[in-house]
Amino acid sequence: MTVSAQGESIQNEVAYGIEYDWSNLDDDFDSLTGINLNEILSRTMLAATDAGLTLTVAQLSTGSSNIYVESAEDRTATTIEIDDESHSVWTRATDVTIRHAVLFDSALVTEWIDSSGSDPTGFDGYLSVDSENAVAVDVNMIEYLDDDYNLYGIDMDFSLASEVSVEYQMDAGLEGAGEEFDFALKFGTGFDLNVPEATAEWRLGEKAPFFPVVSTYEDVEIECADDAALTTSGSEADLKIECGTLEGDYSVSTGFTFDLSDIPTENFGMDAGLLDISISDEISSTGGWDTDMEDFLEADDDDDESDDHHDESDEHHHHGDGDYHHEHSGDDEST
């Protein structure tokens, strides 16, 4: 399967995106629910002060989430080869970029002392929780279309890098009867999932008028068949397509870490650091696939049918035997 192109003629360029700044989380939560978290924390600390207890609670969120989509049609004359037969097409490229990185920090500091007796009695403590998660996704999709917006195939490149980590740290002390006892603990865990590269290439057995049919009719049934055909009745359409083949390859890795340290084992008559633990592991895999698209869709249908939470009211949903159903209201544009 080969693709060749000559010249350049870009049309219908579209770009849009959304962004969220996580430092606005408290204000947005207040606007949506009417609950002011900072005011609740302030009142809690004042109540503790009235009770003779020193208490400081703080929390902070930073980072951002971004999704950007860019799409453009390249009307350059291009040929795509399917089953040793060349077809004249042009391409539409769509790039999806997702970037997400957030850090949540929380801390609690408290202290209470009773100095009324001959020996002071009290306690103090510190607790912090830090959570970090990051996701980066890149998707590049190329559709092969003719001047009537018939679809011949799709190429897709995909990559993913993600990481989640949480760290807890606690330090506490007790004092009374002339004795002191201190306790500390640090615990951290992390998980990552990465897909450095994944590619997929879908070639239909025959051109399919997906976009013209979906934009013209309100109720569309789409299913795989040996012979392509289109049957219409009023606002309904039954589209049979030669689903063709799907092939691709991938590489994926996943790993985790677990750390436990700073437990004062010496206070319990054990050697220092005896309970310190550090565990990590990573698994990676590479592979590929080459299958009939109809078999791929039927396998997906079987998974949907076994899902007890399948929603029959979904706008797009699968049916048995590789069927698809599409409904829309209003007039869609095929472009």
Side-chain angles (χ1 to χ4, degrees):
M1 300 179 184
T2 60
V3 175
S4 61
Q6 298 175 348
E8 183 177 5
S9 179
I10 305 301
Q11 298 182 15
N12 297 328
E13 292 184 85
V14 177
Y16 57 92
I18 58 175
E19 179 177 348
Y20 182 73
D21 187 341
W22 286 89
S23 62
N24 298 321
L25 180 61
D26 290 345
D27 292 338
D28 292 338
F29 187 80
D30 185 6
S31 299
L32 291 173
T33 66
I35 300 175
N36 190 318
L37 296 177
N38 289 325
E39 183 178 352
I40 292 175
L41 293 178
S42 297
R43 291 186 177 184
T44 301
M45 289 184 286
L46 287 174
T49 300
D50 293 340
L53 176 68
T54 300
L55 176 65
T56 301
V57 182
Q59 61 86 27
L60 178 67
S61 58
T62 57
S64 64
S65 298
N66 309 272
I67 301 177
Y68 300 108
V69 179
E70 296 179 89
S71 179
E73 297 177 356
D74 186 349
R75 294 305 185 100
T76 303
T78 303
T79 59
I80 183 172
E81 188 175 303
I82 302 176
D83 294 333
D84 299 325
E85 183 179 351
S86 295
H87 301 269
S88 178
V89 295
W90 50 269
T91 61
R92 175 166 57 194
T94 302
D95 294 320
V96 179
T97 303
I98 301 174
R99 295 293 184 269
H100 167 80
V102 182
L103 178 63
F104 294 103
D105 294 317
S106 301
L108 182 150
V109 181
T110 184
E111 183 181 25
W112 175 77
I113 297 178
D114 181 5
S115 302
S116 59
S118 57
D119 293 321
T121 301
F123 63 84
D124 63 82
Y126 169 81
L127 173 66
S128 70
V129 181
D130 300 323
S131 173
E132 181 177 359
N133 57 83
V135 178
V137 177
D138 292 292
V139 180
N140 172 256
M141 183 175 69
I142 298 178
E143 302 163 272
Y144 297 97
L145 307 158
D146 62 20
D147 290 338
D148 295 322
Y149 280 88
N150 293 308
L151 180 67
Y152 288 78
I154 296 176
D155 292 343
M156 187 177 73
D157 294 324
F158 172 86
S159 65
L160 164 71
S162 63
E163 180 181 1
V164 177
S165 63
V166 180
E167 182 178 278
Y168 301 87
Q169 185 173 352
M170 183 178 68
D171 193 344
L174 299 174
E175 180 181 4
E179 297 185 4
E180 294 183 2
F181 177 80
D182 295 320
F183 181 83
L185 172 67
K186 182 183 290 185
F187 164 74
T189 184
F191 173 80
D192 65 81
L193 174 64
N194 300 293
V195 182
E197 183 180 14
T199 63
E201 184 180 274
W202 178 26
R203 294 294 181 266
L204 286 90
E206 179 62 37
K207 64 182 180 181
F210 279 115
F211 302 109
V213 171
V214 169
S215 64
T216 302
Y217 299 93
E218 295 183 1
D219 192 352
V220 180
E221 292 280 351
I222 303 174
E223 62 179 309
C224 295
D226 293 334
D227 297 313
L230 174 63
T231 304
T232 63
S233 176
S235 62
E236 300 180 353
D238 184 6
L239 177 62
K240 292 181 172 58
I241 64 172
E242 296 182 31
C243 289
T245 60
L246 177 69
E247 63 180 51
D249 52 55
Y250 66 90
S251 61
V252 60
S253 66
T254 181
F256 75 92
T257 60
F258 176 89
D259 295 288
L260 180 65
S261 62
D262 293 345
I263 299 177
T265 51
E266 60 274 17
N267 292 345
F268 303 97
M270 295 182 287
D271 294 337
L274 183 63
L275 296 181
D276 289 359
I277 300 173
S278 181
I279 303 173
S280 64
D281 196 9
E282 182 174 0
I283 301 173
S284 60
S285 175
T286 60
W289 65 87
D290 186 351
T291 182
D292 289 337
M293 191 63 171
E294 183 175 3
D295 295 338
F296 177 81
L297 296 176
E298 288 180 352
D300 191 38
D301 289 338
D302 293 339
D303 292 340
D304 286 345
E305 290 173 1
S306 65
D307 187 354
D308 293 336
H309 301 286
H310 177 63
D311 187 357
E312 292 294 336
S313 65
D314 284 350
E315 184 176 353
H316 300 269
H317 57 276
H318 302 306
H319 295 265
D321 300 327
D323 292 0
Y324 285 88
H325 183 74
H326 173 85
E327 293 183 0
H328 74 88
S329 59
D331 294 328
D332 295 340
E333 295 294 334
S334 63
T335 57

